[in-house]
Amino acid sequence: MSEVNGLPNTNKTHSVVPHTKNFNVSFSEHKPKILLLYGSLRARSYSKLIIEESARLLTYFGAEVKIFNPEGLPQTDSEDESHPKVQELRDLMLWSEGQVWCSPERHGSMTSIFKNQIDWIPLNLGGVRPTQGKTLAVLQVCGGSQSFNVVNQLRVLGRWMRMVTIPNQSSVPQAHLEFEENGRMKPSPLYNRIVDVMEELIKFTLLLRDQKDYFVDRYSERVESAEELSQRVNQSSI
């Protein structure tokens, strides 16, 4: 190993000093591709209504949006990955450049319906990481007083999935009071926050989607890949 001066444990060959010249200076012109997930199967699901309202805003802000319906998605490990709903979800994950997650709070946590969707997504899928480097906005709905348990958990989950979670978020208390009978959200500061979050998600997605590969390029993985290649070459020569 060729070491970096003063850093004997660092491989000079695979250690790259970050520089602005490595950023992509051109921007994609297609609409940002945003996938939206919700966490309830109720006939009148407030997390779904929030997602539908978010989808309208994202469309206004210039995005192409797709909403995944979790109904019919089997419990993780009860079916294999060839199940049509699993394939649908995984295809949407690969398609997306950014995502919106919204779950009700149940017993102080996200619902099993929501978590099950993420549990079906591996960190690596056929050599492609379906969520790494993509942007994420997190939302929650509450039946009672305002809480931030779910959005905090969704941030942890998003970090585990190697996503870039935007700073803004929304928690809607007493969600049953915030919607008209037709399913549209009433005007309020809570609605304004949803607008803020979707606007911010689009900004981050436009900024980061063309830089994703550079941002997720890691020294540890470059070294690991080199070692694996060396082992294969050495084994083939034995």
Side-chain angles (χ1 to χ4, degrees):
M1 179 182 78
S2 176
E3 67 182 52
V4 179
N5 292 338
L7 297 171
N9 296 323
T10 304
N11 188 317
K12 185 177 182 179
T13 304
H14 301 288
S15 177
V16 180
V17 177
H19 196 281
T20 53
K21 67 182 180 182
N22 296 320
F23 288 106
N24 190 337
V25 295
S26 61
F27 290 89
S28 296
E29 296 296 329
H30 66 271
K31 294 181 177 183
K33 302 173 182 177
I34 308 297
L35 170 63
L36 300 96
L37 307 179
Y38 59 94
S40 172
L41 299 180
R42 289 179 175 176
R44 186 171 174 84
S45 163
Y46 293 103
S47 63
K48 182 180 180 182
L49 292 179
I50 287 280
I51 284 296
E52 290 175 342
E53 200 69 41
S54 298
R56 295 184 189 101
L57 289 165
L58 290 167
T59 300
Y60 171 74
F61 289 134
E64 180 182 358
V65 302
K66 295 185 179 181
I67 300 173
F68 178 74
N69 180 355
E71 186 172 1
L73 182 69
Q75 182 66 34
T76 312
D77 298 331
S78 67
E79 298 275 355
D80 63 39
E81 61 188 31
S82 65
H83 189 282
K85 290 295 290 189
V86 176
Q87 287 300 308
E88 178 189 354
L89 177 58
R90 291 186 175 189
D91 288 345
L92 288 171
M93 285 281 175
L94 292 170
W95 167 85
S96 69
E97 296 171 327
Q99 297 184 21
V100 180
W101 295 355
C102 182
S103 174
E105 179 172 330
R106 185 165 297 163
H107 300 315
S109 179
M110 73 182 79
T111 63
S112 60
I113 297 297
F114 187 89
K115 182 61 162 54
N116 186 50
Q117 295 172 74
I118 305 304
D119 285 346
W120 272 113
I121 307 303
L123 290 176
N124 191 304
L125 184 60
V128 178
R129 289 171 173 167
T131 55
Q132 179 171 253
K134 298 180 179 182
T135 53
L136 172 65
V138 295
L139 316 170
Q140 78 172 80
V141 293
C142 310
S145 59
Q146 191 172 46
S147 162
F148 298 94
N149 290 327
V150 170
V151 286
N152 289 336
Q153 293 166 353
L154 292 177
R155 286 185 176 278
V156 172
L157 189 55
R159 184 171 71 244
W160 183 259
M161 301 305 289
R162 301 179 177 180
M163 303 180 78
V164 180
T165 308
I166 67 171
N168 215 338
Q169 62 186 27
S170 174
S171 172
V172 179
Q174 295 184 296
H176 59 285
L177 300 178
E178 297 301 323
F179 289 87
E180 306 285 0
E181 284 301 313
N182 63 3
R184 298 304 302 269
M185 194 170 182
K186 300 175 182 177
S188 71
L190 294 169
Y191 173 79
N192 293 348
R193 174 59 69 89
I194 300 289
V195 179
D196 287 347
V197 174
M198 295 308 116
E199 182 182 43
E200 187 173 292
L201 176 65
I202 290 295
K203 291 176 181 178
F204 271 82
T205 305
L206 290 172
L207 180 65
L208 295 177
R209 64 179 178 175
D210 295 307
Q211 317 297 339
K212 181 173 69 68
D213 290 341
Y214 181 52
F215 270 105
V216 300
D217 182 36
R218 296 182 178 88
Y219 166 78
S220 60
E221 294 180 353
R222 292 194 297 271
V223 171
E224 181 182 19
S225 298
E227 290 177 350
E228 289 175 351
L229 175 61
S230 177
Q231 290 174 4
R232 286 196 299 272
V233 170
N234 290 335
Q235 288 173 354
S236 63
S237 64
I238 293 176

